[in-house]
Amino acid sequence: MKEQIKAYNSVLDLIGNTPLIKLNRITESLDGNFYAKVESFNPGHSTKDRIALYIIEEAERQGILTPGDTIIETTSGNTGFSLAMVSIIKGYNCILAVSSKSSKDKIDMLRSMGAKVYVCPAHVSADDERSYYNVAKRLHEETKGSVYINQYFNQLNIDAHYKSTGPELWEQTNGQITHLIACSGTGGTLSGTAKFLKEKNPNIRILGVDAYGSVLKKYHETREFDSEEIYPYRIEGLGKNLIPTATDFDVIDKFTKVTDEESAHTTREIALKEGLFVGYTSGAVVQALRQFAEEGEFDANSNVVAIFPDHGSRYMSKVFSDEWMNEQGFFDSINREEVQKIEFIK
Ligand code: PMP
């Protein structure tokens, strides 16, 4: 008998089981052992592949979705890309309402993956009819045979990580993980993974990363929604101007807030020190890790896992563009990292 051809049936078979990679130079001065769960190894290059596949397959199991139907979502880019990818393989249409804060590369990528994209103004309140939440809701009402993924308010977002990211980390660390640190947007990654890990060992510390300009940290501490906390910021996918039900605040021990500028420099530093070309929120998570270290969270025995949500190629016109960094005034800072100069051969 001939040997079988070793091929995957489609890209969907490659979702999840991402590697855990030790951080070496970037955490050199800190006490403890630091590891990154590098989610850009998913075929759609982000952690959102997990929830896209899980939520769509759950809808199929419940008989809500049949081929030819339409998937609708609000997204800063990554969830949209993952939904578009899964839609292609499974035969669905995909409509995405995105924030005008999203980079042009991200929007072009979504269109290249067959999605219909609506760009909505970023700096309007969540209840404004032009907000991407309300645009998606309206499109869902107007489109027959459509499913609204609604990642901020969908329990399945938490379940996807409870069933995949959590068990993977427990196994990869042989149960020796002491701290989980992740950015919170919808909160699905952080709270779903945390819920699984806390069930295994309630002593594991769960550390959340929020942005200045977002309400999550204050809500975690006071259970009060404070609109005074809200102002525009640059990082996409991190923090929020509302309280998502996909965040289980009870499993999170502590939050810290990070700035656009420090996170941007740290993102560039990860590439230069670890050879890992990852996105803006990966920089945010390492920046937060440093802040938590200063607060005395870690000691020599700590095994800290940081989630790196996506790939650097999505930020070529932002964090990895010198022009963009200049426009933001980020190069005025004293900690400018040493990026090689271009030499032109004449
Ligand atoms: N980083 C990036 C780049 C994201 O797109 C998101 C999702 N909004 C997050 C982090 C946060 O993940 P979650 O929504 O699971 O909290």
Side-chain angles (χ1 to χ4, degrees):
M1 215 173 82
K2 272 192 185 169
E3 281 210 11
Q4 287 218 320
I5 291 176
K6 294 189 183 81
Y8 295 98
N9 288 323
S10 78
V11 285
L12 302 189
D13 287 356
L14 286 157
I15 294 177
N17 292 311
T18 52
L20 191 64
I21 303 177
K22 190 172 190 313
L23 295 173
N24 296 297
R25 287 176 55 206
I26 200 142
T27 46
E28 206 161 46
S29 61
L30 310 179
D31 281 339
N33 309 297
F34 298 89
Y35 305 88
K37 176 84 165 153
V38 186
E39 289 291 291
S40 53
F41 279 86
N42 279 299
H45 303 159
S46 91
T47 188
K48 295 296 182 175
D49 282 4
R50 296 175 187 268
I51 71 162
L53 184 64
Y54 185 80
I55 296 174
I56 288 174
E57 291 196 333
E58 204 49 43
E60 288 172 340
R61 267 191 288 276
Q62 292 172 21
I64 301 166
L65 265 182
T66 46
D69 281 350
T70 301
I71 287 158
I72 298 179
E73 182 54 327
T74 54
T75 167
S76 65
N78 283 331
T79 306
F81 188 91
S82 300
L83 288 170
M85 184 182 83
V86 178
S87 296
I88 286 171
I89 306 294
K90 287 180 171 282
Y92 302 117
N93 303 308
C94 185
I95 296 181
L96 303 167
V98 313
S99 153
S100 56
K101 218 161 67 160
S102 304
S103 66
K104 185 174 176 297
D105 328 358
K106 277 191 177 179
I107 292 167
D108 284 344
M109 248 193 297
L110 300 177
R111 293 177 49 239
S112 306
M113 293 296 279
K116 167 82 184 153
V117 180
Y118 292 81
V119 179
C120 309
H123 306 313
V124 297
S125 72
D127 54 14
D128 190 295
E129 63 173 22
R130 296 162 299 162
S131 78
Y132 57 74
Y133 311 108
N134 284 329
V135 169
K137 236 189 263 169
R138 175 173 62 77
L139 291 167
H140 172 46
E141 282 156 16
E142 290 170 4
T143 311
K144 257 194 168 171
S146 66
V147 167
Y148 179 25
I149 300 291
N150 203 8
Q151 61 173 336
Y152 286 90
F153 300 98
N154 193 336
Q155 174 64 32
L156 297 175
N157 176 0
I158 294 189
D159 295 351
H161 291 285
Y162 177 82
K163 293 205 171 149
S164 68
T165 322
E168 285 172 33
L169 282 182
W170 184 252
E171 198 195 307
Q172 285 171 317
T173 61
N174 269 317
Q176 294 173 70
I177 176 173
T178 59
H179 298 73
L180 170 74
I181 173 164
C183 291
S184 209
T186 66
T189 309
L190 182 61
S191 31
T193 310
K195 193 170 157 227
F196 181 88
L197 293 175
K198 285 258 190 195
E199 280 174 14
K200 288 287 180 190
N201 174 3
N203 296 325
I204 295 172
R205 294 278 290 168
I206 307 300
L207 307 173
V209 185
D210 190 19
Y212 282 101
S214 153
V215 296
L216 301 178
K217 178 172 186 282
K218 181 145 186 196
Y219 184 81
H220 178 250
E221 286 159 8
T222 63
R223 290 299 189 271
E224 262 174 52
F225 173 86
D226 183 358
S227 58
E228 296 283 306
E229 292 280 298
I230 302 171
Y231 57 85
Y233 55 91
R234 307 301 316 186
I235 312 181
E236 296 161 40
L238 166 61
K240 216 60 227 165
N241 57 355
L242 50 73
I243 307 301
T245 57
T247 308
D248 179 354
F249 286 89
D250 292 335
V251 295
I252 302 163
D253 290 299
K254 208 172 174 188
F255 266 104
T256 193
K257 280 190 172 192
V258 293
T259 65
D260 289 339
E261 178 166 0
E262 285 172 314
S263 304
H265 284 291
T266 309
T267 308
R268 293 167 74 112
E269 211 185 319
I270 296 171
L272 293 172
K273 291 197 170 153
E274 304 291 340
L276 272 171
F277 195 55
V278 287
Y280 202 171
T281 52
S282 303
V285 89
V286 171
Q287 175 55 31
L289 205 154
R290 289 172 168 162
Q291 292 171 197
F292 281 125
E294 244 170 62
E295 291 170 20
E297 267 294 332
F298 316 125
D299 61 32
N301 298 320
S302 299
N303 292 319
V304 184
V305 173
I307 309 269
F308 283 7
D310 70 354
H311 197 263
S313 57
R314 298 212 163 146
Y315 304 87
M316 292 314 295
S317 60
K318 295 210 164 173
V319 179
F320 295 108
S321 152
D322 287 352
E323 291 73 27
W324 185 84
M325 291 290 279
N326 251 329
E327 277 162 28
Q328 309 306 312
F330 291 173
F331 277 159
D332 301 339
S333 121
I334 45 160
N335 63 346
R336 179 176 180 163
E337 59 291 318
E338 290 297 318
V339 178
Q340 297 275 356
K341 298 265 182 315
I342 304 172
E343 296 285 341
F344 292 95
I345 308 294
K346 295 219 172 93

